[in-house]
Coordinates of all heavy atoms in Angstrom, one line a residue:
L412 N 53.8 0.6 13.8 CA 54.1 1.8 14.6 C 55.2 1.5 15.6 O 55.1 0.5 16.3 CB 52.8 2.4 15.3 CG 51.6 2.7 14.4 CD1 50.4 3.1 15.2 CD2 51.9 3.8 13.4
V413 N 56.2 2.5 15.6 CA 57.2 2.4 16.6 C 57.2 3.7 17.4 O 57.2 4.7 17.0 CB 58.6 2.2 16.0 CG1 59.6 2.0 17.1 CG2 58.6 1.1 15.0
I414 N 56.9 3.5 18.8 CA 56.7 4.7 19.7 C 57.9 4.7 20.6 O 58.3 3.8 21.2 CB 55.4 4.5 20.4 CG1 54.2 4.4 19.6 CG2 55.2 5.6 21.5 CD1 53.0 3.9 20.2
D415 N 58.5 5.9 20.6 CA 59.6 6.2 21.6 C 59.0 6.4 23.0 O 58.3 7.4 23.2 CB 60.4 7.3 21.1 CG 61.6 7.6 22.0 OD1 61.4 7.7 23.3 OD2 62.7 7.8 21.6
Q416 N 59.1 5.5 23.9 CA 58.4 5.6 25.3 C 58.7 6.9 26.0 O 58.0 7.5 26.6 CB 58.6 4.4 26.1 CG 60.0 4.3 26.6 CD 60.2 2.9 27.3 OE1 59.7 1.9 26.8 NE2 61.1 2.8 28.3
H417 N 60.0 7.3 25.9 CA 60.4 8.5 26.7 C 59.8 9.8 26.1 O 59.1 10.6 26.7 CB 62.0 8.6 26.7 CG 62.4 9.9 27.4 ND1 62.3 10.2 28.7 CD2 62.9 11.0 26.8 CE1 62.7 11.3 28.9 NE2 63.2 11.9 27.9
A418 N 59.9 9.9 24.7 CA 59.4 11.0 24.0 C 57.9 11.1 24.1 O 57.3 12.2 24.4 CB 59.8 11.0 22.5
A419 N 57.2 10.0 24.1 CA 55.8 10.0 24.2 C 55.3 10.4 25.6 O 54.5 11.2 25.7 CB 55.2 8.5 24.0
H420 N 56.1 9.9 26.6 CA 55.7 10.3 27.9 C 56.0 11.7 28.2 O 55.2 12.5 28.9 CB 56.5 9.4 29.0 CG 55.8 9.3 30.3 ND1 56.5 9.1 31.4 CD2 54.5 9.5 30.7 CE1 55.7 9.1 32.5 NE2 54.5 9.3 32.1
E421 N 57.1 12.3 27.7 CA 57.4 13.7 27.8 C 56.2 14.5 27.3 O 55.9 15.5 28.0 CB 58.7 14.0 27.0 CG 59.9 13.9 27.7 CD 61.1 14.4 26.8 OE1 60.9 14.4 25.6 OE2 62.1 14.7 27.3
R422 N 55.8 14.1 26.1 CA 54.6 14.9 25.5 C 53.4 14.9 26.4 O 52.8 15.9 26.7 CB 54.3 14.4 24.1 CG 53.1 14.6 23.5 CD 52.9 16.2 23.4 NE 53.8 16.9 22.5 CZ 54.0 18.2 22.2 NH1 53.1 19.0 23.0 NH2 54.9 18.7 21.6
V423 N 53.1 13.7 27.0 CA 51.9 13.6 27.8 C 52.1 14.4 29.1 O 51.2 15.2 29.5 CB 51.8 12.1 28.3 CG1 50.7 11.9 29.3 CG2 51.4 11.2 27.0
L424 N 53.2 14.4 29.7 CA 53.4 15.1 31.0 C 53.5 16.6 30.7 O 53.1 17.3 31.5 CB 54.8 14.6 31.7 CG 54.7 13.1 32.1 CD1 56.0 12.9 32.9 CD2 53.6 12.8 33.1
Y425 N 54.1 17.0 29.7 CA 54.3 18.3 29.3 C 52.9 19.0 29.2 O 52.6 20.0 29.8 CB 55.1 18.6 28.0 CG 55.1 20.0 27.5 CD1 55.8 20.9 28.1 CD2 54.4 20.3 26.3 CE1 55.8 22.3 27.6 CE2 54.4 21.5 25.8 CZ 55.1 22.5 26.4 OH 55.1 23.8 26.0
E426 N 52.0 18.4 28.5 CA 50.7 19.0 28.2 C 50.0 18.9 29.5 O 49.2 19.9 29.8 CB 50.0 18.3 27.1 CG 50.7 18.6 25.7 CD 49.6 18.3 24.5 OE1 48.5 18.0 24.7 OE2 50.2 18.3 23.4
R427 N 50.1 18.0 30.3 CA 49.4 17.9 31.5 C 49.7 19.1 32.4 O 48.9 19.8 33.0 CB 49.6 16.5 32.3 CG 48.6 16.1 33.2 CD 48.8 14.8 33.7 NE 48.4 13.8 32.9 CZ 48.8 12.5 32.9 NH1 49.6 12.1 34.0 NH2 48.5 11.6 32.1
L428 N 51.0 19.2 32.6 CA 51.6 20.2 33.4 C 51.2 21.6 32.9 O 50.8 22.5 33.7 CB 53.1 20.1 33.6 CG 53.8 21.0 34.6 CD1 53.1 20.9 36.0 CD2 55.2 20.7 34.7
L429 N 51.3 21.8 31.6 CA 51.0 23.1 31.0 C 49.5 23.5 31.2 O 49.2 24.6 31.6 CB 51.3 23.0 29.5 CG 51.3 24.4 28.8 CD1 52.5 25.2 29.2 CD2 51.3 24.1 27.3
Q430 N 48.6 22.5 31.1 CA 47.2 22.7 31.3 C 46.9 23.1 32.8 O 46.2 24.1 33.0 CB 46.4 21.5 30.9 CG 46.0 21.3 29.4 CD 45.6 20.1 29.0 OE1 45.3 19.1 30.0 NE2 45.5 19.7 27.8
Q431 N 47.5 22.5 33.6 CA 47.3 22.7 35.0 C 47.8 24.2 35.3 O 47.2 24.9 36.0 CB 48.1 21.7 35.9 CG 47.5 20.4 35.9 CD 48.4 19.3 36.6 OE1 49.7 19.6 36.7 NE2 47.8 18.2 37.0
R432 N 49.0 24.4 34.8 CA 49.6 25.8 35.1 C 48.7 26.9 34.5 O 48.5 27.8 35.1 CB 51.0 25.8 34.4 CG 52.1 26.2 35.4 CD 53.4 26.3 34.5 NE 53.2 27.5 33.6 CZ 53.8 27.5 32.4 NH1 54.7 26.6 32.1 NH2 53.7 28.7 31.7
V433 N 48.4 26.7 33.2 CA 47.5 27.8 32.5 C 46.3 28.0 33.2 O 45.8 29.0 33.4 CB 47.4 27.4 31.0 CG1 46.5 28.4 30.4 CG2 48.8 27.5 30.4
A434 N 45.6 26.9 33.7 CA 44.3 27.0 34.4 C 44.5 27.4 35.8 O 43.4 27.6 36.4 CB 43.6 25.6 34.3
G435 N 45.6 27.6 36.2 CA 45.9 28.0 37.6 C 45.4 26.9 38.6 O 45.2 27.1 39.7
A436 N 45.3 25.7 38.1 CA 44.9 24.6 38.9 C 46.1 24.2 39.8 O 47.3 24.5 39.5 CB 44.4 23.4 38.0
A437 N 45.8 23.4 40.8 CA 46.9 22.9 41.7 C 47.8 22.0 40.9 O 47.4 21.0 40.4 CB 46.4 22.3 42.9
T438 N 49.1 22.3 40.7 CA 50.0 21.4 40.0 C 50.7 20.6 41.0 O 51.3 19.5 40.5 CB 51.0 22.3 39.2 OG1 51.5 23.2 40.1 CG2 50.4 23.0 38.0
G439 N 50.6 20.9 42.2 CA 51.4 20.2 43.2 C 50.5 19.3 44.0 O 49.3 19.3 44.1
Q440 N 51.2 18.2 44.6 CA 50.6 17.3 45.4 C 51.2 17.4 46.8 O 52.4 17.2 46.9 CB 50.8 15.9 44.8 CG 50.3 14.8 45.6 CD 50.9 13.4 45.0 OE1 51.3 13.5 43.7 NE2 50.8 12.5 45.7
V441 N 50.4 17.6 47.8 CA 50.9 17.8 49.2 C 51.4 16.4 49.7 O 50.6 15.4 49.6 CB 49.9 18.4 50.1 CG1 50.5 18.6 51.5 CG2 49.4 19.7 49.6
L442 N 52.6 16.3 50.2 CA 53.2 15.0 50.7 C 52.7 14.8 52.1 O 52.7 15.8 53.0 CB 54.7 15.0 50.6 CG 55.2 15.1 49.2 CD1 56.6 15.3 49.3 CD2 54.9 13.9 48.4
V443 N 52.2 13.6 52.4 CA 51.9 13.3 53.8 C 53.2 13.4 54.6 O 53.2 14.0 55.7 CB 51.4 11.9 54.0 CG1 50.9 11.6 55.4 CG2 50.2 11.7 53.0
T444 N 54.3 12.8 54.2 CA 55.5 12.9 54.9 C 56.5 13.7 54.0 O 56.8 13.3 52.9 CB 56.1 11.5 55.1 OG1 55.1 10.5 55.2 CG2 57.2 11.4 56.3
P445 N 57.0 14.9 54.5 CA 57.8 15.6 53.6 C 59.1 14.9 53.3 O 59.6 14.1 54.1 CB 58.1 16.9 54.5 CG 57.1 16.9 55.5 CD 56.6 15.5 55.8
I446 N 59.7 15.0 52.1 CA 60.8 14.3 51.8 C 62.1 15.3 52.0 O 62.2 16.4 51.5 CB 60.8 14.0 50.2 CG1 59.6 13.4 49.8 CG2 62.0 13.2 49.9 CD1 59.5 13.0 48.3
P447 N 63.0 14.7 52.8 CA 64.3 15.6 52.9 C 65.2 15.4 51.7 O 65.4 14.3 51.2 CB 64.9 15.0 54.3 CG 64.3 13.6 54.4 CD 63.1 13.6 53.6
V448 N 65.7 16.5 51.3 CA 66.6 16.4 50.0 C 67.9 17.0 50.3 O 68.0 18.1 50.9 CB 66.0 17.2 48.9 CG1 66.9 17.0 47.6 CG2 64.6 16.7 48.5
E449 N 69.0 16.2 50.2 CA 70.3 16.8 50.5 C 70.8 17.5 49.3 O 70.7 17.0 48.2 CB 71.2 15.6 50.8 CG 72.5 15.9 51.5 CD 73.2 14.6 51.7 OE1 73.6 13.9 50.8 OE2 73.5 14.4 52.9
L450 N 71.2 18.8 49.5 CA 71.7 19.6 48.4 C 73.2 19.9 48.3 O 73.8 19.8 49.3 CB 70.9 20.9 48.5 CG 69.4 20.9 48.2 CD1 68.9 22.4 48.4 CD2 69.1 20.5 46.8
D451 N 73.7 20.1 47.2 CA 75.0 20.6 47.1 C 75.0 22.1 47.3 O 74.0 22.8 47.0 CB 75.6 20.4 45.7 CG 75.5 18.8 45.4 OD1 75.6 18.1 46.3 OD2 75.4 18.5 44.2
A452 N 76.1 22.6 47.7 CA 76.2 24.1 48.2 C 75.8 25.0 47.0 O 75.2 26.0 47.2 CB 77.6 24.5 48.7

Side-chain angles (χ1 to χ4, degrees):
L412 303 175
V413 185
I414 299 165
D415 180 310
Q416 66 189 39
H417 174 70
H420 201 209
E421 267 185 340
R422 168 54 65 186
V423 169
L424 295 183
Y425 170 74
E426 289 199 11
R427 198 175 289 165
L428 187 55
L429 193 68
Q430 275 165 11
Q431 290 171 338
R432 232 188 65 208
V433 171
T438 46
Q440 174 193 344
V441 181
L442 297 172
V443 183
T444 329
I446 309 177
V448 185
E449 198 176 59
L450 291 177
D451 300 330

